[in-house]
Amino acid sequence: MTEIRAGIGGWVFPPWRGVLYPKGLPQAKELHHASRQVTSIEINGTFYGSQKPASFRRWRDDTPEDFVFSLKGPRFATHRRALGEAGDSVKRFFDSGVLELGEKLGPILWQFAPTTQFDRGNFASFLELLPRKLDGREIRHVLEVRHQSFLVPDFIALMRKYKTPVALVDSEDHPAIADVTGDFVYARLRRMVMEEESGYSTRALGAWVKRFETWSKGGEPDDLKRIHPDAAPKRPRDCFVYFINGAKVRAPAAAQAFLKRLKG
């Protein structure tokens, strides 16, 4: 069965105290609380530096049984000119204790610099480095690209060859890539505004829920433009959606409203 998970980026954000977190809740208990309000959290700290195995174990043990984390891969791997030389950084990342999350390890998000342009050979070299299985378990990867040069069918064809999704980013500052290129869909929604209690308007949230229901059932939304002329094969897919940035204080409410509408 497929799942649609919705969540937020991280859990330590002072403006959420008194909003997501009850007043007076100790910071040490914030992950425990947040993980019971949403169904997934995207960890950003792994982008900036290595974490300790004990941290991954603590996060695993502090969250519900059916909870899932996605992790940002390290910038040392993605923010370089020759991507095929990132092998050591990728290995160090997985050796840092990532697998201590066990069944709660979700997709790994590899985010590239806004200035990084599409070069088929360069990206193929990077995709070759990504482990697809470790210790007998499948590892899921997703790439976030931020340059207009990726809006070409050749990039979509490359990602389909490696069966790797491209993150769909809802933002004025990012190219929107809605093509399905892997066996799951991953989105980062960044247009939250303070004027809306749930970050996104009721209408906008409803539209996103409908799109994810369509992806989950194996289809493709008819209101999002594809880059590649060919649709992806029709098959059910897991989906991950994170409410990130914009009016970040609204992110928990947006994720909760999304999940409520999803249940229906």
Side-chain angles (χ1 to χ4, degrees):
M1 291 185 63
T2 60
E3 294 180 309
I4 303 175
R5 293 182 175 274
I8 53 181
W11 59 89
V12 180
F13 185 57
W16 286 344
R17 291 164 191 160
V19 178
L20 169 62
Y21 304 119
K23 290 183 179 179
L25 183 75
Q27 185 174 327
K29 294 186 178 180
E30 288 181 347
L31 174 59
H32 181 276
H33 182 85
S35 63
R36 285 152 176 84
Q37 315 306 312
V38 296
T39 54
S40 187
I41 286 177
E42 182 187 272
I43 296 177
N44 194 45
T46 47
F47 179 72
Y48 297 102
S50 294
Q51 307 296 313
K52 296 179 179 179
S55 296
F56 290 111
R57 287 194 293 270
R58 185 172 67 252
W59 300 338
R60 177 196 67 203
D61 295 342
D62 213 15
T63 50
E65 186 175 336
D66 62 346
F67 195 78
V68 167
F69 291 99
S70 67
L71 306 180
K72 264 194 183 181
R75 58 181 172 171
F76 310 108
T78 57
H79 286 45
R80 60 171 68 219
R81 199 176 290 272
L83 295 173
E85 297 175 2
D88 287 344
S89 293
V90 172
K91 185 177 186 305
R92 277 196 300 272
F93 171 66
F94 284 104
D95 287 347
S96 70
V98 168
L99 297 183
E100 295 291 338
L101 287 174
E103 294 303 313
K104 295 180 183 180
L105 174 61
I108 309 298
L109 173 68
W110 302 94
Q111 184 186 70
F112 294 86
T115 53
T116 299
Q117 299 185 35
F118 176 52
D119 178 293
R120 185 182 179 92
N122 202 23
F123 270 80
S125 297
F126 182 80
L127 288 162
E128 287 285 348
L129 297 174
L130 302 181
R132 303 295 167 160
K133 251 187 183 179
L134 288 171
D135 290 355
R137 64 162 298 150
E138 180 186 359
I139 305 296
R140 287 173 150 183
H141 302 277
V142 53
L143 271 55
E144 181 183 322
V145 295
R146 297 188 277 175
H147 193 274
Q148 296 294 320
S149 61
F150 290 91
L151 299 175
V152 292
D154 194 31
F155 174 60
I156 303 305
L158 176 68
M159 297 299 286
R160 284 178 174 170
K161 177 182 176 182
Y162 285 90
K163 300 177 181 177
T164 303
V166 183
L168 170 59
V169 183
D170 182 35
S171 164
E172 292 179 2
D173 304 321
H174 292 67
I177 301 178
D179 296 67
V180 175
T181 56
D183 66 354
F184 66 97
V185 173
Y186 194 105
R188 307 180 82 230
L189 307 187
R190 300 169 53 104
R191 293 183 191 264
M192 287 171 293
V193 294
M194 285 299 296
E195 294 74 24
E196 296 287 350
E197 236 180 84
S198 57
Y200 277 76
S201 68
T202 300
R203 181 178 179 180
L205 271 179
W208 279 112
V209 167
K210 185 178 178 182
R211 289 168 189 143
F212 275 94
E213 288 175 336
T214 299
W215 277 314
S216 177
K217 293 172 184 175
E220 294 187 50
D222 57 13
D223 61 345
L224 294 178
K225 185 180 177 181
R226 284 201 316 265
I227 296 168
H228 199 284
D230 298 332
K234 188 176 175 63
R235 59 172 64 101
R237 311 175 185 100
D238 288 334
C239 298
F240 302 83
V241 53
Y242 298 96
F243 292 86
I244 309 282
N245 296 342
K248 187 174 177 177
V249 72
R250 299 294 195 198
Q256 290 170 310
F258 179 95
L259 288 167
K260 185 175 180 181
R261 290 193 66 128
L262 196 61
K263 292 174 182 176

